[in-house]
């Protein structure tokens, strides 16, 4: 016996909603670890946003510029040598409230870009990564889009990126 068309559509919609919720949970869990102890370096701007970033504790590294990063996987390939290097990456970008504002995973293909055409936080951070690394970056506004913002990113926004470096051309 077959189900009526509307029942199949409801079941399909419900299954898709559960799948998407699961994928979102995995993405945000990857970008946000959990615990109560404070991170090394400057904390994010509010207690509400990026709460779980603090869970990284000693695993968080802070550069002189204020960029914070966590190594998820350290690759063994070459690193970008300069801001002129062209990189191939997969990434997810999150705002302070946890909203994902961009991801290559929805595009179906990685981003290929010269580092000098990215925000300063990417330019600095990706140069720390050997090919096949996955890092999570917490980028302060002054290394991102600053006071102006851009597109869905408001002015003075902190951004979090999970970046997987696939290839580099120096």
């Amino acid at each position: 016996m077959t189900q009526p068309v509307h029942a199949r559509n409801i079941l399909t919609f419900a299954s898709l909603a559960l799948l998407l919720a699961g994928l979102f949970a995995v993405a945000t869990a990857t970008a946000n670890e959990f615990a109560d102890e404070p991170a090394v370096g400057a904390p994010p701007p509010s207690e509400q946003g990026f709460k779980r970033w603090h869970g990284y504790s000693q695993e968080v590294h802070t550069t002189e510029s204020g960029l914070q990063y966590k190594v998820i996987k350290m690759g063994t390939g070459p690193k970008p040598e300069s801001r002129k290097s062209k990189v191939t990456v997969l990434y997810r970008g999150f705002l302070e409230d946890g909203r994902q504002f961009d991801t290559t995973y929805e595009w179906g293909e990685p981003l290929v870009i010269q580092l000098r055409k990215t925000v300063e936080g990417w330019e600095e951070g990706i140069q720390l990564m050997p090919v096949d690394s996955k890092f999570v970056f917490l980028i302060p506004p002054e290394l991102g889009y600053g006071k102006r913002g851009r597109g869905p990113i408001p002015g003075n926004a902190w951004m979090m990126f999970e970046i997987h470096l696939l290839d580099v051309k120096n």
Side-chain angles (χ1 to χ4, degrees):
M1 178 173 192
T2 61
Q3 296 176 337
V5 172
H6 64 69
R8 279 192 307 236
N9 289 345
I10 290 170
L11 288 173
T12 301
F13 178 76
S15 298
L16 181 59
L18 286 171
L19 175 64
L20 290 174
L23 289 173
F24 183 74
V26 168
T28 54
T30 300
N32 301 309
E33 293 292 327
F34 49 89
D36 293 327
E37 67 185 284
V40 175
S46 80
E47 291 183 31
Q48 294 303 314
F50 298 135
K51 277 184 181 179
R52 294 181 183 191
W53 179 256
H54 293 291
Y56 288 135
S57 188
Q58 297 106 352
E59 300 170 1
V60 172
H61 306 278
T62 304
T63 67
E64 285 186 32
S65 70
L67 174 70
Q68 294 184 7
Y69 67 96
K70 160 82 169 100
V71 177
I72 303 298
K73 175 187 175 192
M74 184 62 81
T76 57
K79 289 182 181 180
E81 294 175 0
S82 75
R83 52 191 310 261
K84 292 181 181 179
S85 297
K86 188 179 275 190
V87 296
T88 303
V89 297
L90 292 171
Y91 74 90
R92 291 180 177 96
F94 299 89
L95 293 174
E96 185 179 354
D97 63 8
R99 280 183 295 139
Q100 181 175 288
F101 62 85
D102 198 8
T103 177
T104 55
Y105 295 96
E106 289 179 3
W107 303 355
E109 61 184 48
L111 172 68
V112 179
I113 193 165
Q114 195 171 32
L115 282 179
R116 70 179 184 182
K117 295 182 180 179
T118 64
V119 295
E120 289 178 50
W122 269 48
E123 188 177 310
E124 178 183 355
I126 292 175
Q127 288 185 66
L128 301 170
M129 302 174 71
V131 168
D132 200 32
S133 293
K134 186 182 277 190
F135 284 24
V136 175
F137 295 102
L138 183 60
I139 300 176
E142 57 274 11
L143 298 177
Y145 293 108
K147 293 178 183 177
R148 293 186 325 265
R150 183 172 179 195
I153 303 160
N156 294 315
W158 285 71
M159 299 179 292
M160 183 179 279
F161 286 94
E162 173 193 273
I163 299 177
H164 185 180
L165 181 60
L166 301 174
D167 191 27
V168 63
K169 302 247 186 306
N170 286 313

